[in-house]
Amino acid sequence: MPEALIPLILFAKKYRVGKPTGISFIDSTTLDVCDNRRIHSYKVFKDIAHRGKSSTGWFYGFKLHLVINDMGEILSFFLTTGEVDDREAEVIDILTKDLFGKLFGDKGYISQPLFKRLYEKGIKLITRLKKNMKNKLMLIEEKLLLRKRALVETVNDFLKNIC
């Protein structure tokens, strides 16, 4: 299994099919390699996988970072170890290399430096607000497209549970 990982990623990167449309969705999902109670006896990805924390709790494995367009086609993806933050500069730069327009994400992508970095590249990052944040004006079109963010969750679910 570990030997097949790198060729699989290279193949998928070369033959991705989506084209940027100006409306993109970003998300990450955990790829657990074993149960937390079995970490010390697990040997397959021993030196590669790491512990990380997601909104659902602690896990041991990898994170799949994914960007799709408004038609559900994968534009870019990146596989990291479990402890890597969703907002890390390297990951975001790789994922948004060929993007333009609006990028919709969940509350995990709220960061002023990230917003500024993407805005300088011509990408407007749009997220929902946390409870303790001040309300900001948002176009109705952006609010409606933010509801469509469930599309990226569906693609993540399809990739994890079916493929």
Side-chain angles (χ1 to χ4, degrees), residues 111-128:
S111 166
Q112 194 66 34
L114 175 61
F115 179 83
K116 287 179 182 176
R117 165 188 243 113
L118 291 174
Y119 196 76
E120 289 170 358
K121 290 174 66 174
I123 301 169
K124 183 178 180 184
L125 178 65
I126 300 168
T127 62
R128 291 194 191 270

Side-chain angles (χ1 to χ4, degrees), residues 18-109:
K19 301 276 187 251
T21 60
I23 298 173
S24 307
F25 300 93
I26 188 169
D27 198 16
S28 68
T29 185
T30 62
L31 301 174
D32 302 357
V33 295
C34 74
D35 190 63
N36 286 334
R37 293 171 286 185
R38 294 182 178 82
I39 292 172
H40 301 295
S41 61
Y42 189 78
K43 294 179 183 164
V44 177
F45 288 107
K46 182 180 180 186
D47 296 327
I48 303 171
H50 290 105
R51 290 192 86 163
K53 189 171 185 190
S54 69
S55 59
T56 58
W58 289 95
F59 71 97
Y60 180 73
F62 303 98
K63 270 190 181 177
L64 174 65
H65 304 268
L66 193 67
V67 176
I68 65 169
N69 63 14
D70 56 338
M71 294 177 278
E73 299 170 335
I74 297 174
L75 300 176
S76 182
F77 69 93
F78 195 67
L79 192 66
T80 62
T81 55
E83 83 277 1
V84 174
D85 186 21
D86 294 349
R87 299 167 291 185
E88 186 147 334
E90 281 182 37
V91 175
I92 296 295
D93 288 343
I94 291 169
L95 290 173
T96 61
K97 189 173 109 181
D98 300 325
L99 294 185
F100 60 92
K102 297 178 182 177
L103 179 65
F104 295 89
D106 59 9
K107 293 178 186 177
Y109 291 95

Side-chain angles (χ1 to χ4, degrees), residues 135-148:
N135 196 6
K136 65 178 181 179
L137 293 176
M138 191 182 303
L139 298 173
I140 292 176
E141 169 192 328
E142 293 171 351
K143 284 186 178 184
L144 292 174
L145 285 171
L146 204 51
R147 289 184 193 167
K148 198 176 176 185

